[in-house]
Amino acid sequence: MAGIFTTFNTARRGLYAQQAAVDTASHNVANASTAGYSRQRVQMSATSPYNSPGVGQIGTGVEVSLITRIRDSYLDLQIRGEKGILGEYGARQEVLEQVEMIFMEPSDTGLSATMAEMWNAWQELSKSPENSNARTIVVQSAQTFADQLNHMDEQLTTLKEDAIHLVEKKVYDSQSIFSQVNSLNDQISRIVAKGDKPNDLLDQRDLLLDQLSSITDFTTEEGTDGRITIKIDGKEMTGSNVQYQMSIVRDVETIGDDVKITLVRGGDTLEGVQTFTISKDEYEANYKDLKAGEVIFNKTDMAKSDPLKTDLQLLNDGAVETFSPNHGELMGYYSIQKEVDSYKGQLDNLAEAIAGTVNMIHQAGDDTQMAFFLGDSDGITAKNIKVNSEIVDDVYKINAGEKSDSPTGDGSRALAIAQLRNGRFTIHNFDKGNLNYDAATMKIDNQTGGTTFDSYYKDIVAKLGISSQQAGRMVDNQESLLGQLQQRRESISGVSIDEEIANLVQYQHAYEANSKVIATLTDMLDTLINRMGV
Amino acid sequence: MRVTNKSLIDNFTRNVNRNLKNMSKYQEQLSSGKEVRRPSDDPFKATRAMALHTSIGQNEQYKRNIEDSIGWTDITDAALGNINDDLQRIRELVVKGSNGTLADTDRNAIKVEIDQLVGDIAQIGNANYDGRYIFGGQNTTVPPFEIDGTGALKYKGDQGSLNREISPNVTMKINVHGSNIMGNSNELAKTLQDITNALASGDTDSLSKDLLGKVDGHIDNILRLRAEVGAKSNRLEAAKGKNEAETLNMTELLSKTEDIDFAQKIMEYSNMENVYQASLSTGAKVIQPSLLDFLR
């Protein structure tokens, strides 16, 4: 027969267990608003009973066997997947909205309106070529058009650079997440080795993985010691065997016969910037995938500088290779840069085509005559198109008439230029060598499969609109979907204050009951010790 | 499904946000009067609106061209009318001068009047529109007609055409140049010169037959030119009518594409406002109470 002191133990165990339960409830309530927190539950189990011969098994009380966190890890996987897609389209939407603001259509101030005013100015010139006013207006409207193209190109370039800076920051964030996960892994493995569950640390690690999933897609492997290894593109980014780091190509510049590549290692814009200068041939042979904005992997031990090695050898040592994420913000910003490049290219085509056709008529098909639009030595693009400064200085140098010695009232060449508005040319792969100029009519033949300048520009805007609309719709859909998944997670892992308070009341009663037991035992002992006998 | 306080608040926030976003969209549309503010709002409507704006703008330019040309042809017609009047008067004088019974002084008086009329014709020939000489061909800055040292009418302009585009790829020549008025190889100048010489020498024979016939010929020429100008004028008026009708149609279409229907929008907006207020008030009722309010 067990003594009263054994019963004391039972009651004492009860008190401790309830106290632990109250502690856990208090912990839950305190963390009700903590991001990523999963509610914890105390698992109590009865302690091994005492075998009393003849009587049977007598219970010995309760112990807290485990404090678990309530979390559905499959749901975590789903949420991470959807966050990746949201990250991707969110990034695209962000940049595309800015591209739309650059184009500013439909409006009275967009490129479409500026082009229209330019053609109108040529019409007015054809009607009064004797009038210097009409000539000045042609120059001014053409300059406005060229300036607007220059400006739009510049803004698109800046937007691309901003996107690259954002990617640098995201890469840096990822690297920081890897190192945080590493230190959490260490702490977790120590506790798991003791056989306990480090719930709060696990929550923190899961939160970091959620954040990472917005940035890029990855896989995880769980070790028996509770460590998690994050793998991106098959390469380990955490753990003791990390050989690679994520970096980004900030810029690739051609200087003469050399190519200068600027890397930002680990996304660290302060300390991680490293440049390599290699020859064009070497670049074309092995590294032509490296373009501005590419995310790459390189060996962490790639030397920053080595007096005995050339830049090419350093690059080769670094085992630099490109990385294409499937989802996440990295993918979003990467794909959007390609798209911005395509818009820039199309504006370039437009500039080249308008300049080429106007010049051809202005020069009567002879390259040595005065051109109306100029670019630079590589040709005419949206970035460099401008009105010939000789014409800006002297508006009478505009060839409005058929010949240079035509009477002052001859505006026929200006009329031919104005009529380019309705001409159809293959702008998407414009080559002024393919144009057919008829000296008698001063006109350029329409090209089969060609479109008007207005149509071409409208197509650019239409594509932009559709792309942006799609990104916006995907973001809305994903936010909805993610909202539902997060609601499910909240329903499983979230802290319900009402529930915790109710539990608190329950544990409090149990604690009171246990302490009542102790009080009763005290009385019994008192009777035993003090009242029995003399 | 277990519902926690946090999920109630999350739902509340999400719904209120969504309603605010919708209200904001209606507000934007109402204050700008336009359905589409950016291409992504509705790409097809946006590009349609752009195309219509461009076409309307182009049409406006053609209208300016047409009105300019109408002004030009009106002045041309008036000038040709005046020249016709002068030639008619010259004809009368030629008939009068061919009367054999006239004295030398009388014939001289007629000669003087005819000289004046030739000068008048030159002056009419130098008519201008908006600072440009209308009969000079492409030589619009130099007066095309003058009386030279011998008293003869002379045309100094060229035979160039002045073309105007009145609709896409349709151009029209709007001018009459001085050579048309002068007839083949400057016949008019020679005829007028011959008339004054015949009057001076008293050659009534050639006056009554040969020269009278030639004057008639020139009058016919001017009438023919006037008919041509008249036809041009009609064509321009027709083009203007068509242009205005097209612009009207396109403007209507643009309005249908681009502009909002105010009545409908305001209804939709009030509806959304009600939804927003409902979501706020029910949300407020749901998120406030908790068990702690009831435990003493």
Side-chain angles (χ1 to χ4, degrees):
Chain A
M1 188 66 193
I4 294 188
F5 289 101
T6 321
T7 323
F8 248 119
N9 264 337
T10 308
R12 190 174 48 86
R13 286 205 189 105
L15 277 180
Y16 286 157
Q18 301 313 317
Q19 198 171 329
V22 167
D23 277 343
T24 309
S26 147
H27 184 60
N28 282 341
V29 168
N31 280 302
S33 317
T34 307
Y37 180 78
S38 328
R39 66 191 167 115
Q40 295 174 7
R41 278 286 169 272
V42 163
Q43 269 181 25
M44 302 189 199
S45 55
T47 45
S48 318
Y50 166 71
N51 228 333
S52 178
V55 179
Q57 301 211 312
I58 301 187
T60 52
V62 69
E63 65 171 355
V64 172
S65 58
L66 206 55
I67 302 187
T68 54
R69 61 174 191 149
I70 314 286
R71 193 162 184 121
D72 181 346
S73 49
Y74 177 62
L75 199 53
D76 282 339
L77 273 178
Q78 281 184 302
I79 288 181
R80 281 176 200 148
E82 300 304 334
K83 275 188 94 148
I85 300 179
L86 176 62
E88 180 186 343
Y89 283 100
R92 286 181 60 87
Q93 185 195 36
E94 185 187 327
V95 176
L96 282 171
E97 276 182 354
Q98 294 187 51
V99 176
E100 283 187 301
M101 288 206 295
I102 291 176
F103 273 79
M104 206 35 108
E105 295 280 3
S107 81
D108 302 330
T109 49
L111 194 67
S112 175
T114 316
M115 263 201 294
E117 274 173 36
M118 188 176 67
W119 299 126
N120 285 351
W122 282 104
Q123 282 277 354
E124 291 295 327
L125 178 60
S126 77
K127 294 190 296 183
S128 35
E130 321 86 349
N131 190 344
S132 76
N133 221 11
R135 290 169 179 267
T136 311
I137 292 179
V138 163
V139 168
Q140 277 175 357
S141 61
Q143 273 180 320
T144 308
F145 172 70
D147 284 346
Q148 195 163 8
L149 272 176
N150 296 153
H151 191 49
M152 281 167 83
D153 183 274
E154 194 186 310
Q155 285 177 307
L156 286 172
T157 307
T158 308
L159 193 58
K160 247 190 86 173
E161 283 169 5
D162 287 345
I164 294 181
H165 283 310
L166 281 169
V167 176
E168 286 172 9
K169 185 173 177 309
K170 295 294 168 190
V171 166
Y172 184 70
D173 286 346
S174 322
Q175 292 289 141
S176 144
I177 288 176
F178 298 144
S179 65
Q180 286 178 60
V181 167
N182 268 336
S183 82
L184 279 172
N185 272 343
D186 287 337
Q187 295 173 42
I188 289 172
S189 65
R190 263 179 263 133
I191 296 178
V192 167
K194 282 192 265 176
D196 289 332
K197 287 206 75 172
N199 291 323
D200 295 318
L201 293 172
L202 289 173
D203 278 344
Q204 282 178 35
R205 193 171 63 182
D206 277 329
L207 189 61
L208 285 171
L209 290 177
D210 282 353
Q211 286 173 3
L212 187 62
S213 69
S214 284
I215 299 179
T216 175
D217 48 327
F218 57 92
T219 55
T220 52
E221 273 174 15
E222 179 141 9
T224 47
D225 54 356
R227 287 174 184 271
I228 277 193
T229 313
I230 300 177
K231 278 193 175 175
I232 298 189
D233 208 25
K235 299 179 175 49
E236 291 179 11
M237 306 307 287
T238 59
S240 50
N241 194 22
V242 174
Q243 296 178 336
Y244 289 94
Q245 64 176 169
M246 264 209 298
S247 310
I248 172 167
V249 179
R250 182 184 263 181
D251 194 16
V252 173
E253 214 182 315
T254 317
I255 310 178
D257 277 329
D258 288 334
V259 173
K260 180 170 144 194
I261 305 174
T262 310
L263 290 188
V264 180
R265 296 175 59 168
D268 187 351
T269 49
L270 291 173
E271 317 237 331
V273 183
Q274 189 175 357
T275 55
F276 301 86
T277 309
I278 61 177
S279 79
K280 241 191 203 166
D281 296 330
E282 290 165 346
Y283 178 76
E284 292 292 323
N286 295 319
Y287 289 110
K288 67 176 198 282
D289 291 335
L290 291 188
K291 298 196 177 56
E294 288 279 344
V295 177
I296 59 166
F297 284 113
N298 61 280
K299 289 226 151 138
T300 38
D301 58 9
M302 178 168 80
K304 282 228 146 189
S305 71
D306 187 336
L308 300 174
K309 290 192 171 176
T310 65
D311 279 353
L312 180 63
Q313 287 171 321
L314 285 178
L315 258 186
N316 287 340
D317 285 349
V320 168
E321 55 184 272
T322 57
F323 163 52
S324 357
N326 288 324
H327 289 301
E329 286 163 341
L330 287 186
M331 168 59 172
Y333 286 123
Y334 177 74
S335 70
I336 207 62
Q337 283 170 46
K338 299 253 166 296
E339 200 165 322
V340 169
D341 272 340
S342 83
Y343 294 133
K344 277 176 63 166
Q346 288 171 322
L347 285 180
D348 282 341
N349 287 345
L350 189 65
E352 198 190 343
I354 289 186
T357 47
V358 169
N359 281 348
M360 179 158 255
I361 296 183
H362 197 257
Q363 296 170 317
D366 179 0
D367 272 348
T368 60
Q369 297 298 311
M370 175 148 309
F372 187 80
F373 284 113
L374 289 179
D376 66 19
S377 51
D378 292 328
I380 302 184
T381 63
K383 183 170 170 185
N384 61 30
I385 182 173
K386 56 183 182 289
V387 177
N388 192 339
S389 52
E390 282 189 62
I391 291 182
V392 175
D393 291 337
D394 179 6
V395 298
Y396 278 96
K397 294 215 170 129
I398 300 180
N399 296 337
E402 192 175 345
K403 304 195 202 9
S404 50
D405 55 359
S406 282
T408 49
D410 180 9
S412 49
R413 192 170 290 277
L415 183 59
I417 291 181
Q419 288 178 310
L420 281 175
R421 186 185 204 164
N422 294 320
R424 293 173 174 274
F425 307 105
T426 50
I427 302 169
H428 55 279
N429 56 356
F430 183 76
D431 179 2
K432 68 177 195 214
N434 288 339
L435 294 178
N436 217 0
Y437 173 72
D438 181 344
T441 59
M442 290 184 285
K443 285 198 180 177
I444 302 179
D445 293 340
N446 284 343
Q447 295 178 300
T448 43
T451 60
T452 61
F453 300 119
D454 280 332
S455 298
Y456 186 74
Y457 180 67
K458 240 173 50 225
D459 283 346
I460 301 177
V461 174
K463 240 192 296 180
L464 171 63
I466 292 174
S467 194
S468 178
Q469 190 187 47
Q470 191 215 15
R473 283 202 179 133
M474 282 300 291
V475 166
D476 284 342
N477 283 347
Q478 284 302 115
E479 279 180 345
S480 238
L481 182 54
L482 203 55
Q484 282 181 17
L485 286 174
Q486 280 171 334
Q487 224 178 359
R488 278 217 61 208
R489 178 152 77 176
E490 179 61 24
S491 121
I492 292 174
S493 310
V495 171
S496 167
I497 305 246
D498 296 339
E499 194 182 337
E500 299 301 323
I501 299 296
N503 286 340
L504 211 51
V505 172
Q506 175 193 342
Y507 300 140
Q508 186 197 8
H509 283 315
Y511 189 86
E512 283 173 5
N514 274 299
S515 44
K516 183 76 180 133
V517 168
I518 292 185
T520 310
L521 290 173
T522 313
D523 277 347
M524 285 165 66
L525 268 176
D526 187 44
T527 309
L528 201 55
I529 295 174
N530 296 329
R531 308 280 160 73
M532 278 176 74
V534 199
Chain B
M1 190 174 91
R2 204 172 145 264
V3 174
T4 66
N5 309 75
K6 188 159 176 292
S7 49
L8 284 177
I9 306 255
D10 283 346
N11 274 343
F12 170 69
T13 314
R14 206 183 342 226
N15 288 330
V16 166
N17 243 351
R18 194 185 53 227
N19 291 335
L20 271 176
K21 202 166 121 183
N22 286 339
M23 267 179 45
S24 152
K25 186 181 98 175
Y26 285 127
Q27 190 190 35
E28 246 176 46
Q29 288 176 322
L30 277 169
S31 49
S32 70
K34 302 250 175 282
E35 280 275 346
V36 172
R37 199 174 55 104
R38 287 171 303 184
S40 59
D41 289 343
D42 188 336
F44 295 112
K45 267 199 179 153
T47 47
R48 190 111 183 271
M50 274 172 73
L52 285 170
H53 271 296
T54 310
S55 297
I56 291 175
Q58 203 177 4
N59 241 25
E60 296 283 316
Q61 180 61 42
Y62 287 134
K63 181 165 167 203
R64 281 193 286 271
N65 290 358
I66 292 171
E67 287 175 340
D68 197 51
S69 311
I70 288 176
W72 188 284
T73 47
D74 283 351
I75 300 240
T76 307
D77 184 59
L80 288 174
N82 289 338
I83 292 180
N84 185 41
D85 292 343
D86 280 355
L87 284 177
Q88 293 283 12
R89 178 76 182 126
I90 289 179
R91 189 187 192 279
E92 278 173 27
L93 291 172
V94 166
V95 167
K96 197 161 161 205
S98 68
N99 189 343
T101 62
L102 273 182
D104 278 346
T105 46
D106 294 330
R107 258 200 297 277
N108 205 35
I110 292 175
K111 175 179 176 294
V112 164
E113 196 181 336
I114 288 187
D115 282 339
Q116 293 274 38
L117 285 167
V118 172
D120 194 42
I121 289 178
Q123 204 181 340
I124 298 170
N126 289 338
N128 75 39
Y129 175 72
D130 201 22
R132 285 164 283 160
Y133 294 105
I134 61 175
F135 290 119
Q138 285 180 350
N139 215 332
T140 52
T141 46
V142 170
F145 282 100
E146 69 172 8
I147 306 291
D148 68 11
T150 63
L153 184 65
K154 192 153 170 238
Y155 176 65
K156 294 192 320 183
D158 65 31
Q159 305 190 349
S161 319
L162 296 177
N163 293 322
R164 300 280 182 261
E165 196 178 14
I166 57 173
S167 76
N169 287 325
V170 174
T171 53
M172 190 168 128
K173 175 179 165 196
I174 59 166
N175 66 326
V176 170
H177 47 73
S179 312
N180 295 129
I181 295 176
M182 292 289 249
N184 293 338
S185 32
N186 288 338
E187 260 297 313
L188 182 60
K190 185 165 180 302
T191 307
L192 293 171
Q193 190 82 321
D194 288 346
I195 289 173
T196 46
N197 290 342
L199 282 169
S201 65
D203 184 356
T204 54
D205 207 32
S206 55
L207 275 176
S208 59
K209 297 189 189 76
D210 197 31
L211 290 174
L212 193 58
K214 289 216 173 116
V215 171
D216 280 335
H218 287 298
I219 290 177
D220 284 343
N221 184 34
I222 298 293
L223 281 176
R224 193 175 45 78
L225 287 175
R226 273 193 92 180
E228 275 176 25
V229 171
K232 281 201 175 86
S233 189
N234 286 343
R235 191 175 158 205
L236 286 168
E237 289 289 342
K240 182 171 169 194
K242 186 157 163 284
N243 178 297
E244 284 172 344
E246 274 174 16
T247 301
L248 187 62
N249 282 342
M250 287 197 286
T251 310
E252 242 182 78
L253 199 52
L254 179 63
S255 176
K256 275 200 206 121
T257 307
E258 198 175 53
D259 297 337
I260 59 171
D261 179 343
F262 268 100
Q264 187 185 9
K265 266 301 161 225
I266 290 191
M267 246 169 47
E268 289 174 5
Y269 176 74
S270 326
N271 211 13
M272 189 48 66
E273 214 182 346
N274 283 340
V275 169
Y276 173 61
Q277 285 180 354
S279 69
L280 278 178
S281 81
T282 50
K285 291 207 186 81
V286 164
I287 64 176
Q288 278 177 37
S290 81
L291 187 55
L292 293 159
D293 296 334
F294 295 98
L295 288 175
R296 43 104 211 107

